[in-house]
Amino acid sequence: MLTAGQILQLIRNGTCRTRKELIEYTGLSRSTITDRVDRLIDAGYIHESGVGASGGGRPPSVLEVDATKRLMLVADLGATHVRAALTDLAARPLAEESTEMRIDRGPEAVLSWVRQAFQRMLDRHGRPAAEVCGIGLDLPGSVDHTNGRVIRSFLMPGWDDHPVGAAIGAEYDVPILVENDANAMALGEWWSSWRETESLILIKVSTGIGTGIILEGQIYRGVEEAAGNIGHVRIRESDDRVCTCGSRGCVASLASGHALATDLGQEFSRDVVRLVQAGDPTAIARTQEAGRTLGIVLATAVSLLNPGVLVLAGDMAETREHYLTGIREIVYRRSLPYTTRNLEIVTSSLGDRAGIVGMAVIVMEHVLSPASVDAALAEPVS
């Protein structure tokens, strides 16, 4: 006996578009389908839109997800920026705000800006907080996504074990989801451009280096929520440079935006991007070298996971082809030909919005999951 939440999934994925199709597909009685559908309509999850093809008699009403009655609030927190967005339940943006802010200012300052931005966007659209059904945030570190806390981050002093979910959600009685930024970006890219492929690896190269892995359309986090930490793979044991993790010879200490900025006498990874875009030969040569260094580790990842797509994101993706050229050179040279035969190595299509899109998808999938929908329908109406 399918629940209302499971019926919603059949409508969401296009398997069934009318009550008649639901009856035929599930084998449930007309009265049972009517009950499930009416409850979903009354709760604002779906609505009737237009009419379908008729086999005779009155044309059936088409059932569609109603994305307008519920809202989501999401935020993408990077090492030097914060972006917030208000979206509908289809993950379509209604409003966005961003600011330059260093994450090492601490959770109080950063999360205060996020809370205020959320309220400003709601006020601007004249929507009450009661319409918000879920909130999501991504951060540049390992997080426990089940309890909304930061596990560890080398870029975020003062954030370890901070209750991010509780700090953001005090004013909202809704699920608060917290995710690693590279994971959210990977899902955003996959959802937007690559849903036909089963596996995707996204490498975010900005201040640091992070990796998001999508396997069979799902984020792969690892046993300790630490999958994708290739920035701290040590490839030069004798190197003098000390990484943010305290080790020497890590990929991040050699090929990250911070490493490039330090080598070129700049402050931030975006300064490096500006030099490369201006045609500075030293910056271009160092950027290509960094891409080759990262490519050594990525060649192993390609051989291990055999992904369909490798996406370069973050500040270094804006160096046009220069960083990407270094990655391609080494990945194709060091990987078996049949593992790269159909591999696409590209830059991000979403740019700095990848995290926002990914978090909106994460919250949407949670809110519209069968378990969440059935739990919401079981709650008494206040």
Side-chain angles (χ1 to χ4, degrees):
M1 182 69 75
L2 297 180
T3 66
Q6 292 168 326
I7 293 295
L8 176 60
Q9 304 315 304
L10 296 177
I11 297 169
R12 284 187 70 203
N13 62 28
T15 301
C16 300
R17 299 175 65 243
T18 66
R19 287 177 172 83
K20 180 181 179 182
E21 290 178 3
L22 285 168
I23 293 169
E24 293 173 349
Y25 184 84
T26 65
L28 297 175
S29 68
R30 180 177 298 276
S31 62
T32 299
I33 290 297
T34 297
D35 171 69
R36 303 285 193 272
V37 169
D38 286 349
R39 289 169 63 201
L40 290 169
I41 291 175
D42 291 343
Y45 285 106
I46 62 174
H47 61 178
E48 295 176 310
S49 175
V51 293
S54 173
R58 188 174 65 182
S61 298
V62 173
L63 302 171
E64 294 182 344
V65 174
D66 188 345
T68 63
K69 289 187 172 62
R70 288 176 169 81
L71 302 172
M72 302 186 298
L73 292 166
V74 293
D76 167 49
L77 281 58
T80 60
H81 77 272
V82 187
R83 180 180 295 271
L86 172 69
T87 81
D88 65 13
L89 198 49
R92 294 181 297 238
L94 302 175
E96 292 189 17
E97 289 191 21
S98 63
T99 188
E100 297 294 319
M101 180 180 292
R102 293 183 62 87
I103 196 125
D104 58 14
R105 288 184 57 185
E108 295 303 326
V110 175
L111 296 181
S112 175
W113 185 90
V114 172
R115 288 192 298 268
Q116 292 170 22
F118 284 169
Q119 190 59 56
R120 283 194 299 269
M121 290 185 292
L122 287 171
D123 292 343
R124 194 155 63 243
H125 281 262
R127 306 291 290 267
E131 292 184 9
V132 175
C133 64
I135 296 174
L137 295 92
D138 70 49
L139 305 111
S142 296
V143 302
D144 184 340
H145 76 282
T146 59
N147 66 19
R149 288 177 176 268
V150 177
I151 299 174
R152 70 186 69 83
S153 175
F154 304 117
L155 298 175
M156 302 167 60
W159 286 79
D160 284 5
D161 204 36
H162 189 81
V164 176
I168 282 291
E171 301 170 17
Y172 304 90
D173 185 21
V174 298
I176 314 290
L177 307 181
V178 182
E179 186 56 81
N180 166 264
D181 61 344
N183 285 345
M185 293 171 72
L187 185 63
E189 291 288 340
W190 178 83
W191 179 267
S192 299
S193 304
W194 302 102
R195 273 185 269 180
E196 74 280 2
T197 189
E198 290 187 355
S199 59
L200 173 150
I201 298 176
L202 176 139
I203 312 95
K204 178 189 178 185
V205 187
S206 291
T207 301
I209 297 177
T211 306
I213 303 169
I214 303 296
L215 297 179
E216 297 184 349
Q218 302 293 321
I219 294 172
Y220 178 73
R221 299 183 177 88
V223 175
E224 300 295 338
E225 304 269 356
N229 265 317
I230 64 171
H232 299 290
V233 173
R234 298 168 69 181
I235 59 174
R236 295 185 189 171
E237 296 287 347
S238 60
D239 198 273
D240 316 357
R241 282 170 284 198
V242 179
C243 183
T244 54
C245 70
S247 298
R248 296 178 185 273
C250 293
V251 176
S253 70
L254 304 169
S256 67
H258 175 73
L260 287 169
T262 300
D263 289 349
L264 295 168
Q266 303 296 314
E267 187 173 2
F268 300 115
S269 55
R270 293 182 185 180
D271 298 326
V272 176
V273 173
R274 283 190 282 272
L275 287 176
V276 172
Q277 290 177 345
D280 183 284
T282 303
I284 290 172
R286 182 66 184 88
T287 296
Q288 290 176 344
E289 179 190 354
R292 288 191 288 270
T293 299
L294 179 56
I296 295 170
V297 180
L298 291 179
T300 301
V302 167
S303 297
L304 182 66
L305 297 176
N306 189 207
V309 188
L310 206 60
V311 181
L312 174 65
D315 291 342
M316 290 301 105
E318 298 177 22
T319 60
R320 302 190 179 105
E321 288 288 305
H322 295 298
Y323 200 104
L324 198 66
T325 295
I327 290 175
R328 283 182 174 140
E329 177 186 333
I330 299 301
V331 168
Y332 286 127
R333 184 195 302 169
R334 295 197 174 209
S335 303
L336 289 170
Y338 70 86
T339 64
T340 58
R341 183 172 52 204
N342 296 308
L343 175 66
E344 302 245 23
I345 304 180
V346 300
T347 53
S348 166
S349 62
L350 294 173
D352 57 11
R353 297 193 64 256
I356 284 289
V357 173
M359 281 313 308
V361 172
I362 289 170
V363 176
M364 175 184 68
E365 291 297 316
H366 177 84
V367 170
L368 293 179
S369 68
S372 295
V373 171
D374 291 332
L377 293 177
E379 294 176 357
V381 179
S382 58

